[in-house]
Amino acid sequence: MPENVPIVSVPASPTASGPVSAIASAPVSDPAPASAAGVEPVVRSGRERAGGGPRSGLPAYVLGSPFALRAPAGVTQCPPPPPDLGEPSAARFVYGLTPPSATATPLIAHEAADAVLDVHGVEDELIEPALELVHELAVHACRFTGAGEMVHLVLRRADGVLQVVVHDTHAPHFAPRLAGQCAERRKVSLAVVRELSERHQGEWGFAAAQPPAAGVCTWATLVRVPPAPPATPVPPVSDAASGAAPGRAA
């Protein structure tokens, strides 16, 4: 991964989630051009644990890439080893989906993720934000992938972190001015993703995809559900206030 594009922050304000047709809507309109040539997009590292790397223990872009999970074996085993025969676990899983860039893709990704979370018994409090994150990232990937091309989505959970990753085919620009403008478009497109991830103590960002993948890899994580505010206790009604005689029912 190029050292100058590890994780790009998204300072844009959160916006409401839109329908599937929002793939081609206003959030990806051209931003104002940079004031001077050579201005690069704002780049900084994502939130990390004190004294260590990202929560997953490995860089998010490595975990996110469908091509960087395992080095190819030197010798092909035949017959191949058996599949995982264990029971589905809510704590650890990984699934991938490669649909076309189309208006139906966010809905298909949402339904597929819903089935995964249900089969693995993920806690109810995390299902709604996870499905919204899948939908928003699928919309984002389709915005940056032309018709007839494929996007790739990965849904995984490990070490208490639920991660959603998408790959689009819009390659990074070499010209600084174009790179800055394109980064701004991506930041606006990811406003809801940013709000979801930060609300759940996660991290998010985008970077150039690692070979042999092309385009850009975008990821976001959910760590936990925010605790509900404590309920306000209701004071008991005194006998004097109720009008009843002390020690007797009204």
Side-chain angles (χ1 to χ4, degrees), residues 142-220:
C142 289
R143 284 174 178 155
F144 288 87
T145 300
E149 298 180 325
M150 311 296 284
V151 301
H152 186 78
L153 184 144
V154 176
L155 172 64
R156 63 162 48 82
R157 193 180 195 187
D159 301 325
V161 178
L162 190 144
Q163 183 190 54
V164 183
V165 184
V166 291
H167 281 73
D168 61 66
T169 62
H170 190 76
H173 300 274
F174 291 103
R177 182 179 63 84
L178 291 177
Q181 291 179 348
C182 191
E184 290 302 320
R185 293 188 186 97
R186 289 185 179 273
K187 292 174 185 178
V188 174
S189 178
L190 290 168
V192 176
V193 171
R194 172 213 181 196
E195 192 274 335
L196 274 170
S197 184
E198 293 186 350
R199 192 197 319 160
H200 293 83
Q201 308 301 309
E203 58 187 21
W204 60 277
F206 58 88
Q210 293 297 286
V216 169
C217 167
T218 304
W219 64 88

Side-chain angles (χ1 to χ4, degrees), residues 46-152:
R47 286 185 293 188
E48 299 179 348
R49 285 180 174 175
R55 295 181 179 89
S56 57
L58 290 174
Y61 66 84
V62 173
L63 290 180
S65 173
F67 304 101
L69 300 178
R70 182 186 298 271
V75 177
T76 301
Q77 179 181 342
C78 195
D84 183 358
L85 301 178
E87 291 295 322
S89 168
R92 184 174 296 273
F93 55 80
V94 57
Y95 288 86
L97 180 68
T98 307
S101 175
T103 55
T105 288
L107 177 59
I108 291 172
H110 179 283
E111 294 299 312
D114 191 18
V116 169
L117 300 176
D118 179 56
V119 168
H120 282 267
V122 173
E123 52 268 37
D124 293 341
E125 296 81 4
L126 197 60
I127 289 179
E128 183 176 347
L131 292 178
E132 186 176 1
L133 188 60
V134 167
H135 180 273
E136 288 297 326
L137 281 173
V139 169
H140 172 78
C142 289
R143 284 174 178 155
F144 288 87
T145 300
E149 298 180 325
M150 311 296 284
V151 301
H152 186 78

